[in-house]
Amino acid sequence: WIERQKSGKHVLKVYPPLTLHTGDDIEKDVIVNTQRAVRFFETILCAYPSEYMWFYKVYKYTTQADVLILDDARTGHLRQSEAAVESLKIILNQAGKQGRITTVTVEFKHDLVRKTFVVYCCIAQIFVFLRKKGVLRFFLKRDSFKELVNLKPDYIVSCGSQLAGINFILGGGWSIKSVHILKSGIISGRWFSLMILPQHDKPRGTICTRTVFTKVALNLMTSGYLKQQEEKLLLRYSHLKNNVRPKIGVLIGGNTKGVVFDVMQIRLLFRQLKDAAKHFNMDLLVTTSRRTPPAVDEAIVRELRNFERCSLLVIANESNVPEVVGGILALSDLLIVSGESISMVSEAISSGKKTIVFTLNGNYSYRPNKYDRFVLDLNQQGHLLASSVKDISMTINRAMSKKIVIKGVDDKAMLLEAIKDIV
């Protein structure tokens, strides 16, 4: 019997062998000897109840698998994690199991603590004994910490470098499978069971043995999901039900690293979109994001306020309509998307609709950033049409031509195979 000491060391005690009863009645011998063994263990367990562990895998044949999604409060990252979990649920169902999903928002105490956690993770990769989830109490807000330590997931899914360290610490258990999406920052990919990376995000360093490179960012865009979002949007905006004209869906993002939205370019964009709507007898369905600057929101409202062919305008900073993006993707015949959001571009082309992606840098050939390179690669592969703002009218004319065929994107089969390997 092994006994844990307060110092962290252990004492191994070897007891004399049990005296077994032997007689003519074998069945009676089995009962008597079993009772003697059980009494011996009862004595020890009563003395050290906190150290008792049932070594038999009592849950080995369970039909339920617990899946933890880590959320950093970034919608794009959460959607990618949810898309990975949808594929995981399919594989679990094939194995006769049901996935129970829990999403926990990870909140650090403050920014300095978050940076300190990065340093801690660097050290914990060298000294593995530091991978204890109890240390998270020093870095996370109380509610986040309590939720995480009370869970015993079979799978952990995270997205973005900020959550890679949390996944790394929590995934220290032997039976936990960890899935991480996008680059993991200073955390080596070898600590994860599976990494999912878009092709434009290939790291230079060590990656996980099981790594899937997708053409676009993971998303929830399936025919069933789009149909569901369309129904919700029509229920909210009933006037769209009777609108039978073809539609141009417009998805406007916002400022991000290296990209600043310019009001004049947005005005130029929407003036061309209004002309195209009139010319092709189409309606506009428009939504912005929470990253859209207030000045850009105002400019869009002014441009479309009296435009009779604008059937829908949702300003995200004023109205929270969860189904608006999926609903617009489902209802539209042509999509116009700003190129600074890889998640939004990925959702658009995964919907199977003709997609035009515009840049705010003036021209895609002028010092392309990582967002531009992502769009240009997909443009070259025939999955979308890349355009500058000033050339939107010309690009719409090309897109409406029957000569232009846009190739679909489907990373799902490859993703399912990779997940099947870890399940």
Side-chain angles (χ1 to χ4, degrees):
W1 182 265
I2 190 167
E3 178 187 335
R4 185 171 60 238
Q5 306 295 299
K6 290 183 178 180
S7 63
K9 294 183 179 181
H10 293 76
V11 174
L12 182 66
K13 297 181 179 180
V14 182
Y15 294 86
L18 292 175
T19 302
L20 299 182
H21 179 274
T22 56
D24 297 331
D25 191 339
I26 296 178
E27 289 187 8
K28 181 180 179 181
D29 290 344
V30 170
I31 294 173
V32 171
N33 291 327
T34 300
Q35 288 174 340
R36 289 182 180 180
V38 169
R39 287 194 196 101
F40 169 76
F41 284 115
E42 281 179 348
T43 303
I44 295 178
L45 298 182
C46 288
Y48 309 102
S50 63
E51 297 190 36
Y52 172 59
M53 180 181 288
W54 194 350
F55 288 94
Y56 180 74
K57 292 184 179 180
V58 68
Y59 300 112
K60 182 178 180 180
Y61 304 107
T62 181
T63 58
Q64 180 174 288
D66 290 311
V67 182
L68 169 62
I69 298 178
L70 300 177
D71 178 20
D72 61 359
R74 296 180 64 176
T75 303
H77 286 173
L78 179 59
R79 293 291 176 267
Q80 292 189 58
S81 295
E82 289 173 339
V85 169
E86 286 300 314
S87 295
L88 175 59
K89 286 166 63 178
I90 292 173
I91 299 301
L92 288 173
N93 287 339
Q94 292 176 358
K97 295 186 176 183
Q98 297 293 321
R100 183 171 66 178
I101 316 302
T102 304
T103 301
V104 175
T105 301
V106 177
E107 293 184 279
F108 287 91
K109 291 181 177 178
H110 48 76
D111 194 53
L112 180 60
V113 169
R114 182 183 60 79
K115 292 177 180 177
T116 306
F117 179 67
V118 173
V119 177
Y120 181 86
C121 288
C122 286
I123 301 172
Q125 290 181 88
I126 302 171
F127 303 102
V128 183
F129 67 88
L130 294 175
R131 292 178 66 183
K132 298 178 180 179
K133 61 183 181 181
V135 303
L136 294 177
R137 68 164 55 89
F138 301 110
F139 302 103
L140 302 181
K141 290 184 178 180
R142 186 176 180 179
D143 290 344
S144 290
F145 172 72
K146 287 181 67 176
E147 280 192 87
L148 290 175
V149 296
N150 288 331
L151 294 171
K152 295 178 176 59
D154 300 293
Y155 301 88
I156 302 176
V157 181
S158 59
C159 182
S161 58
Q162 182 173 304
L163 294 178
I166 303 295
N167 196 337
F168 163 66
I169 297 295
L170 293 176
W174 290 351
S175 61
I176 298 177
K177 304 291 181 63
S178 56
V179 178
H180 185 70
I181 306 162
L182 301 183
K183 287 182 179 179
S184 54
I186 53 89
I187 306 297
S188 171
R190 66 191 177 92
W191 298 110
F192 302 110
S193 307
L194 173 66
M195 285 193 73
I196 304 169
L197 299 170
Q199 288 181 349
H200 71 278
D201 212 15
K202 281 189 178 182
R204 296 179 181 178
T206 305
I207 58 175
C208 178
T209 305
R210 293 189 183 93
T211 304
V212 176
F213 293 103
T214 59
K215 282 191 174 183
V216 297
L218 294 186
N219 57 80
L220 297 167
M221 297 304 125
T222 63
S223 56
Y225 177 82
L226 289 171
K227 183 65 177 176
Q228 181 186 62
Q229 296 297 293
E230 177 185 349
E231 291 173 354
K232 289 183 179 180
L233 192 67
L234 293 177
L235 188 63
R236 187 185 292 263
Y237 301 103
S238 57
H239 69 278
L240 294 175
K241 294 180 180 179
N242 300 321
N243 191 330
V244 296
R245 280 196 293 260
K247 297 172 181 61
I248 301 176
V250 186
L251 308 180
I252 304 296
N255 294 343
T256 189
K257 186 177 180 180
V259 178
V260 178
F261 272 58
D262 179 74
V263 172
M264 295 304 295
Q265 287 208 5
I266 292 299
R267 286 178 179 172
L268 176 60
L269 170 72
F270 275 93
R271 285 167 189 170
Q272 293 178 83
L273 292 178
K274 290 192 290 185
D275 290 340
K278 292 176 182 177
H279 179 74
F280 292 104
N281 192 29
M282 302 176 77
D283 280 359
L284 296 180
L285 305 177
V286 183
T287 185
T288 60
S289 81
R290 283 175 289 184
R291 293 182 294 106
T292 308
V296 172
D297 283 338
E298 292 174 10
I300 294 172
V301 171
R302 282 197 299 269
E303 288 292 334
L304 299 178
R305 181 182 291 120
N306 299 317
F307 186 59
E308 67 281 0
R309 289 186 177 272
C310 180
S311 300
L312 179 66
L313 172 59
V314 176
I315 303 297
N317 288 315
E318 298 176 0
S319 304
N320 179 25
V321 184
E323 64 273 12
V324 67
V325 172
I328 288 178
L329 295 180
L331 291 169
S332 299
D333 301 277
L334 175 67
L335 298 171
I336 313 293
V337 186
S338 60
E340 90 300 334
S341 172
I342 289 174
S343 295
M344 200 159 61
V345 172
S346 299
E347 289 175 346
I349 63 177
S350 297
S351 70
K353 307 296 178 67
K354 285 186 177 181
T355 302
I356 298 173
V357 181
F358 65 88
T359 179
L360 291 164
N361 289 339
N363 194 305
Y364 272 115
S365 61
Y366 177 73
R367 294 182 183 179
N369 53 35
K370 71 171 185 177
Y371 310 106
D372 295 339
R373 289 192 292 271
F374 171 69
V375 172
L376 288 172
D377 286 344
L378 293 173
N379 176 73
Q380 190 174 9
Q381 295 167 21
H383 298 300
L384 54 77
L385 294 175
S387 174
S388 61
V389 170
K390 64 182 179 62
D391 294 326
I392 281 291
S393 290
M394 182 176 64
T395 310
I396 291 176
N397 289 333
R398 286 181 58 209
M400 296 302 292
S401 169
K402 294 182 180 180
K403 296 179 182 179
I404 299 294
V405 178
I406 301 296
K407 298 178 183 177
V409 173
D410 188 5
D411 296 318
K412 192 169 184 178
M414 178 174 54
L415 181 61
L416 288 171
E417 282 299 315
I419 291 177
K420 186 183 294 183
D421 287 341
I422 69 169
V423 170

